[in-house]
Amino acid sequence: MSDNSASYRVAIVTGAAAGIGAACSRRLAKQGVAVAVLDLDAERCADTVAAIRGAGGTALAVGADVADRASVKAAVAQVRETLGAISILVNNAGVTDFTPFEDVTDARWDFIYAVNVRGPFIMTQECLPDMKAAGWGRIVNISSSSAQTGATSMIPYSSSKGAVVTMTRSMAQEFGPYGITVNNIPPGSVMGTIMSEANRDRFQIPTEVLLQSVPVRRLGEPDDIANACAWLCHEDSGYVTGQTIGVNGGRVVS
Ligand SMILES: NC(=O)c1ccc[n+]([C@@H]2O[C@H](COP(=O)([O-])OP(=O)(O)OC[C@H]3O[C@@H](n4cnc5c(N)ncnc54)[C@H](O)[C@@H]3O)[C@@H](O)[C@H]2O)c1
Protein backbone atom coordinates (compact mmCIF):
# COMPACT_ATOMS: atom_id res chain seq x y z
CA MET A 1 0.00 0.00 0.00
CA SER A 2 1.40 3.40 -0.96
CA ASP A 3 1.80 6.23 1.54
CA ASN A 4 -1.19 8.54 1.89
CA SER A 5 0.83 11.66 2.74
CA ALA A 6 0.39 13.23 -0.72
CA SER A 7 -2.93 14.63 0.57
CA TYR A 8 -3.29 16.13 4.02
CA ARG A 9 -5.93 14.14 5.86
CA VAL A 10 -7.44 14.66 9.31
CA ALA A 11 -9.09 11.79 11.18
CA ILE A 12 -11.17 11.57 14.32
CA VAL A 13 -11.00 8.20 16.05
CA THR A 14 -13.50 7.79 18.90
CA GLY A 15 -12.84 5.66 21.98
CA ALA A 16 -9.16 6.03 21.17
CA ALA A 17 -7.62 6.20 24.65
CA ALA A 18 -7.12 2.44 24.64
CA GLY A 19 -7.60 -0.85 22.82
CA ILE A 20 -8.75 -0.92 19.21
CA GLY A 21 -9.23 2.85 18.96
CA ALA A 22 -5.68 3.53 20.12
CA ALA A 23 -4.31 1.02 17.58
CA CYS A 24 -6.38 2.58 14.76
CA SER A 25 -5.08 6.03 15.74
CA ARG A 26 -1.44 4.92 15.72
CA ARG A 27 -1.86 3.09 12.41
CA LEU A 28 -3.54 6.04 10.66
CA ALA A 29 -0.84 8.40 11.94
CA LYS A 30 1.80 6.05 10.50
CA GLN A 31 0.06 6.49 7.14
CA GLY A 32 0.52 10.29 7.38
CA VAL A 33 -2.90 11.21 8.76
CA ALA A 34 -3.24 13.87 11.49
CA VAL A 35 -5.30 12.16 14.19
CA ALA A 36 -7.70 13.56 16.77
CA VAL A 37 -7.64 10.97 19.55
CA LEU A 38 -11.09 11.29 21.12
CA ASP A 39 -12.28 9.68 24.34
CA LEU A 40 -14.44 10.55 27.33
CA ASP A 41 -11.77 12.89 28.64
CA ALA A 42 -8.67 14.29 27.02
CA GLU A 43 -6.29 13.22 29.81
CA ARG A 44 -7.04 9.56 29.13
CA CYS A 45 -5.77 10.06 25.56
CA ALA A 46 -2.27 11.12 26.66
CA ASP A 47 -0.60 7.73 26.05
CA THR A 48 -2.01 7.33 22.53
CA VAL A 49 -1.04 10.91 21.63
CA ALA A 50 2.47 10.45 23.06
CA ALA A 51 2.98 7.24 21.07
CA ILE A 52 1.96 8.96 17.83
CA ARG A 53 4.09 12.05 18.43
CA GLY A 54 7.01 9.87 19.53
CA ALA A 55 6.87 8.15 16.14
CA GLY A 56 6.90 11.52 14.34
CA GLY A 57 3.15 11.79 13.71
CA THR A 58 0.56 14.46 14.44
CA ALA A 59 -2.04 13.92 17.16
CA LEU A 60 -4.44 15.89 19.30
CA ALA A 61 -6.18 14.70 22.50
CA VAL A 62 -9.88 15.51 22.57
CA GLY A 63 -12.37 14.88 25.37
CA ALA A 64 -16.02 14.23 24.43
CA ASP A 65 -18.97 11.95 25.05
CA VAL A 66 -20.02 10.68 21.62
CA ALA A 67 -23.62 10.31 22.81
CA ASP A 68 -23.92 14.00 23.67
CA ARG A 69 -24.60 16.45 20.84
CA ALA A 70 -23.15 19.56 22.55
CA SER A 71 -20.01 17.71 23.61
CA VAL A 72 -19.46 16.36 20.06
CA LYS A 73 -20.06 19.77 18.47
CA ALA A 74 -17.41 21.34 20.73
CA ALA A 75 -14.96 18.50 20.01
CA VAL A 76 -15.40 18.66 16.24
CA ALA A 77 -14.95 22.45 16.31
CA GLN A 78 -11.72 22.01 18.30
CA VAL A 79 -10.39 19.49 15.77
CA ARG A 80 -11.27 21.73 12.79
CA GLU A 81 -9.58 24.71 14.39
CA THR A 82 -6.44 22.83 15.43
CA LEU A 83 -5.89 20.24 12.69
CA GLY A 84 -8.22 21.29 9.85
CA ALA A 85 -11.29 19.89 8.09
CA ILE A 86 -12.17 16.30 8.96
CA SER A 87 -11.86 13.76 6.15
CA ILE A 88 -11.80 10.44 8.08
CA LEU A 89 -14.02 9.28 10.93
CA VAL A 90 -13.59 6.02 12.82
CA ASN A 91 -16.63 5.38 15.01
CA ASN A 92 -15.02 2.99 17.47
CA ALA A 93 -16.26 4.05 20.94
CA GLY A 94 -18.55 1.40 22.35
CA VAL A 95 -19.86 -0.11 25.56
CA THR A 96 -20.75 -3.74 26.16
CA ASP A 97 -23.22 -5.53 28.38
CA PHE A 98 -23.75 -9.09 29.63
CA THR A 99 -27.14 -8.87 31.33
CA PRO A 100 -29.57 -11.75 30.78
CA PHE A 101 -32.46 -10.41 28.70
CA GLU A 102 -35.11 -10.50 31.46
CA ASP A 103 -32.93 -8.36 33.74
CA VAL A 104 -32.14 -5.61 31.23
CA THR A 105 -33.60 -2.30 32.44
CA ASP A 106 -34.88 0.47 30.19
CA ALA A 107 -32.08 2.69 31.48
CA ARG A 108 -29.39 0.13 30.59
CA TRP A 109 -30.90 -0.43 27.13
CA ASP A 110 -30.98 3.31 26.47
CA PHE A 111 -27.38 3.76 27.66
CA ILE A 112 -26.02 1.02 25.36
CA TYR A 113 -27.93 2.44 22.39
CA ALA A 114 -26.93 6.03 23.23
CA VAL A 115 -23.21 5.22 23.00
CA ASN A 116 -23.22 2.48 20.34
CA VAL A 117 -25.86 3.85 17.94
CA ARG A 118 -26.61 7.49 18.70
CA GLY A 119 -22.84 8.07 19.07
CA PRO A 120 -21.93 7.15 15.47
CA PHE A 121 -25.06 8.98 14.27
CA ILE A 122 -24.10 12.26 15.99
CA MET A 123 -20.39 11.98 15.16
CA THR A 124 -21.13 11.32 11.49
CA GLN A 125 -23.67 14.11 11.22
CA GLU A 126 -21.21 16.61 12.70
CA CYS A 127 -18.26 15.54 10.50
CA LEU A 128 -20.18 15.04 7.26
CA PRO A 129 -20.19 18.70 6.07
CA ASP A 130 -16.37 18.71 5.85
CA MET A 131 -16.33 15.50 3.79
CA LYS A 132 -19.08 16.71 1.47
CA ALA A 133 -17.27 20.02 0.93
CA ALA A 134 -14.06 18.15 0.06
CA GLY A 135 -15.82 15.60 -2.15
CA TRP A 136 -13.87 12.92 -0.28
CA GLY A 137 -14.40 11.06 2.95
CA ARG A 138 -13.89 7.77 4.75
CA ILE A 139 -16.08 6.49 7.58
CA VAL A 140 -15.35 3.23 9.36
CA ASN A 141 -17.79 1.95 11.96
CA ILE A 142 -16.57 -0.67 14.40
CA SER A 143 -19.44 -3.12 14.92
CA SER A 144 -19.11 -6.63 16.39
CA SER A 145 -19.20 -10.26 15.27
CA SER A 146 -22.03 -10.65 17.81
CA ALA A 147 -24.17 -8.68 15.33
CA GLN A 148 -23.51 -11.42 12.76
CA THR A 149 -23.97 -14.46 14.99
CA GLY A 150 -26.19 -13.24 17.83
CA ALA A 151 -25.03 -13.77 21.41
CA THR A 152 -26.77 -14.85 24.61
CA SER A 153 -26.95 -12.30 27.43
CA MET A 154 -25.83 -9.66 24.95
CA ILE A 155 -29.14 -8.63 23.40
CA PRO A 156 -28.82 -4.83 23.90
CA TYR A 157 -25.18 -4.90 22.75
CA SER A 158 -25.49 -7.29 19.79
CA SER A 159 -28.66 -5.59 18.50
CA SER A 160 -27.06 -2.15 18.84
CA LYS A 161 -24.13 -3.40 16.75
CA GLY A 162 -26.63 -4.82 14.23
CA ALA A 163 -27.94 -1.26 13.94
CA VAL A 164 -24.38 -0.11 13.24
CA VAL A 165 -24.10 -2.62 10.37
CA THR A 166 -27.38 -1.45 8.84
CA MET A 167 -26.53 2.22 9.41
CA THR A 168 -23.30 1.58 7.50
CA ARG A 169 -25.14 0.18 4.49
CA SER A 170 -27.63 3.06 4.39
CA MET A 171 -24.97 5.74 4.90
CA ALA A 172 -22.90 4.21 2.10
CA GLN A 173 -25.81 4.60 -0.28
CA GLU A 174 -26.64 8.15 0.83
CA PHE A 175 -23.06 9.49 0.95
CA GLY A 176 -21.57 7.63 -2.02
CA PRO A 177 -22.38 10.39 -4.54
CA TYR A 178 -20.21 12.77 -2.48
CA GLY A 179 -17.08 10.63 -2.70
CA ILE A 180 -17.55 9.31 0.83
CA THR A 181 -17.22 5.61 1.59
CA VAL A 182 -18.72 3.98 4.69
CA ASN A 183 -17.79 0.48 5.83
CA ASN A 184 -17.88 -1.49 9.06
CA ILE A 185 -15.52 -3.91 10.73
CA PRO A 186 -17.07 -6.45 13.11
CA PRO A 187 -14.18 -7.69 15.29
CA GLY A 188 -14.21 -11.20 16.73
CA SER A 189 -12.35 -11.70 20.01
CA VAL A 190 -9.66 -9.01 20.26
CA MET A 191 -7.46 -9.35 23.30
CA GLY A 192 -5.63 -6.69 25.28
CA THR A 193 -8.41 -4.11 25.40
CA ILE A 194 -10.27 -2.87 28.49
CA MET A 195 -13.45 -4.49 27.18
CA SER A 196 -11.96 -7.87 26.32
CA GLU A 197 -9.97 -8.16 29.55
CA ALA A 198 -13.13 -7.42 31.57
CA ASN A 199 -14.98 -10.11 29.60
CA ARG A 200 -12.17 -12.59 30.10
CA ASP A 201 -12.17 -11.97 33.89
CA ARG A 202 -15.94 -12.35 33.98
CA PHE A 203 -16.31 -15.57 32.00
CA GLN A 204 -12.96 -17.26 32.73
CA ILE A 205 -13.08 -19.14 29.40
CA PRO A 206 -9.70 -20.83 28.81
CA THR A 207 -7.88 -19.50 25.73
CA GLU A 208 -7.68 -23.01 24.19
CA VAL A 209 -11.49 -23.21 24.26
CA LEU A 210 -11.83 -19.80 22.61
CA LEU A 211 -9.32 -20.83 19.95
CA GLN A 212 -11.34 -23.86 18.88
CA SER A 213 -13.77 -21.53 17.11
CA VAL A 214 -11.02 -19.51 15.37
CA PRO A 215 -9.63 -21.27 12.24
CA VAL A 216 -6.33 -19.36 12.27
CA ARG A 217 -5.89 -20.51 15.91
CA ARG A 218 -4.97 -17.22 17.49
CA LEU A 219 -6.98 -14.47 19.14
CA GLY A 220 -7.18 -11.07 17.52
CA GLU A 221 -5.02 -8.11 18.43
CA PRO A 222 -5.95 -4.42 18.16
CA ASP A 223 -3.47 -4.06 15.29
CA ASP A 224 -5.40 -6.65 13.24
CA ILE A 225 -8.40 -4.34 13.29
CA ALA A 226 -6.24 -1.24 12.81
CA ASN A 227 -4.61 -2.63 9.64
CA ALA A 228 -8.00 -3.24 8.01
CA CYS A 229 -9.25 0.14 9.20
CA ALA A 230 -6.22 1.90 7.71
CA TRP A 231 -6.89 0.30 4.33
CA LEU A 232 -10.57 1.32 4.44
CA CYS A 233 -9.43 4.91 5.17
CA HIS A 234 -6.93 4.94 2.29
CA GLU A 235 -7.26 6.07 -1.34
CA ASP A 236 -6.83 2.45 -2.44
CA SER A 237 -10.22 1.36 -1.03
CA GLY A 238 -12.29 3.98 -2.87
CA TYR A 239 -14.46 1.39 -4.66
CA VAL A 240 -15.36 -0.42 -1.42
CA THR A 241 -18.42 0.93 0.40
CA GLY A 242 -21.36 -0.35 2.43
CA GLN A 243 -19.39 -3.49 3.28
CA THR A 244 -18.87 -5.58 6.36
CA ILE A 245 -15.19 -6.51 6.49
CA GLY A 246 -14.86 -9.34 9.00
CA VAL A 247 -11.54 -9.36 10.85
CA ASN A 248 -11.96 -12.40 13.04
CA GLY A 249 -9.49 -15.14 12.07
CA GLY A 250 -12.27 -16.92 10.16
CA ARG A 251 -14.55 -17.30 13.20
CA VAL A 252 -17.43 -15.87 11.15
CA VAL A 253 -17.43 -16.49 7.39
CA SER A 254 -19.86 -15.08 4.90
N1 LIG B 1 -12.38 -6.23 22.05
C1 LIG B 1 -13.20 -7.04 21.41
O1 LIG B 1 -13.05 -8.27 21.45
C2 LIG B 1 -14.32 -6.47 20.57
C3 LIG B 1 -15.12 -7.39 19.88
C4 LIG B 1 -16.16 -6.89 19.09
C5 LIG B 1 -16.38 -5.52 19.00
N2 LIG B 1 -15.58 -4.66 19.68
C6 LIG B 1 -15.87 -3.22 19.54
O2 LIG B 1 -14.67 -2.53 19.29
C7 LIG B 1 -14.76 -1.21 19.83
C8 LIG B 1 -13.55 -0.95 20.71
O3 LIG B 1 -13.52 -1.96 21.71
P1 LIG B 1 -12.31 -2.19 22.70
O4 LIG B 1 -12.29 -3.64 23.00
O5 LIG B 1 -11.07 -1.50 22.22
O6 LIG B 1 -12.91 -1.46 23.98
P2 LIG B 1 -12.24 -0.60 25.14
O7 LIG B 1 -13.23 -0.66 26.27
O8 LIG B 1 -10.85 -1.04 25.40
O9 LIG B 1 -12.21 0.86 24.53
C9 LIG B 1 -13.39 1.58 24.28
C10 LIG B 1 -13.10 3.05 24.51
O10 LIG B 1 -14.30 3.78 24.24
C11 LIG B 1 -14.40 4.81 25.18
N3 LIG B 1 -15.78 5.25 25.33
C12 LIG B 1 -16.81 4.57 25.90
N4 LIG B 1 -17.92 5.32 25.88
C13 LIG B 1 -17.60 6.48 25.28
C14 LIG B 1 -18.33 7.66 24.96
N5 LIG B 1 -19.63 7.79 25.30
N6 LIG B 1 -17.69 8.68 24.34
C15 LIG B 1 -16.37 8.58 24.03
N7 LIG B 1 -15.62 7.48 24.30
C16 LIG B 1 -16.24 6.45 24.92
C17 LIG B 1 -13.85 4.20 26.48
O11 LIG B 1 -13.46 5.21 27.40
C18 LIG B 1 -12.68 3.36 25.96
O12 LIG B 1 -11.46 4.06 25.98
C19 LIG B 1 -16.09 -1.13 20.58
O13 LIG B 1 -17.06 -0.50 19.77
C20 LIG B 1 -16.44 -2.60 20.80
O14 LIG B 1 -17.83 -2.78 20.91
C21 LIG B 1 -14.56 -5.11 20.47
Side-chain angles (χ1 to χ4, degrees), residues 15 20 39 44 64-66 92 142-143 157 161 188 190 193-194:
I20 292 169
D39 210 290
R44 295 183 58 184
D65 177 350
V66 296
N92 165 78
I142 305 299
S143 56
Y157 177 78
K161 292 298 191 175
V190 177
T193 75
I194 300 169

Side-chain angles (χ1 to χ4, degrees), residues 128-224:
L128 191 64
D130 289 4
M131 300 184 195
K132 280 176 91 168
W136 193 96
R138 296 281 186 268
I139 300 170
V140 177
N141 297 320
I142 305 299
S143 56
S144 166
S145 61
S146 67
Q148 300 169 295
T149 60
T152 56
S153 295
M154 292 185 84
I155 289 173
Y157 177 78
S158 60
S159 64
S160 74
K161 292 298 191 175
V164 170
V165 174
T166 307
M167 189 158 59
T168 300
R169 293 180 180 140
S170 300
M171 284 177 171
Q173 292 178 26
E174 192 160 329
F175 307 161
Y178 303 100
I180 301 165
T181 67
V182 192
N183 294 286
N184 83 91
I185 300 174
S189 293
V190 177
M191 293 298 113
T193 75
I194 300 169
M195 192 182 279
S196 59
E197 293 309 318
N199 298 351
R200 199 209 284 259
D201 290 348
R202 187 183 184 104
F203 295 109
Q204 302 281 321
I205 302 172
T207 302
E208 48 286 11
V209 174
L210 281 175
L211 288 181
Q212 279 165 16
S213 62
V214 184
V216 304
R217 296 288 186 263
R218 74 168 173 83
L219 296 174
E221 293 172 11
D223 283 342
D224 291 315

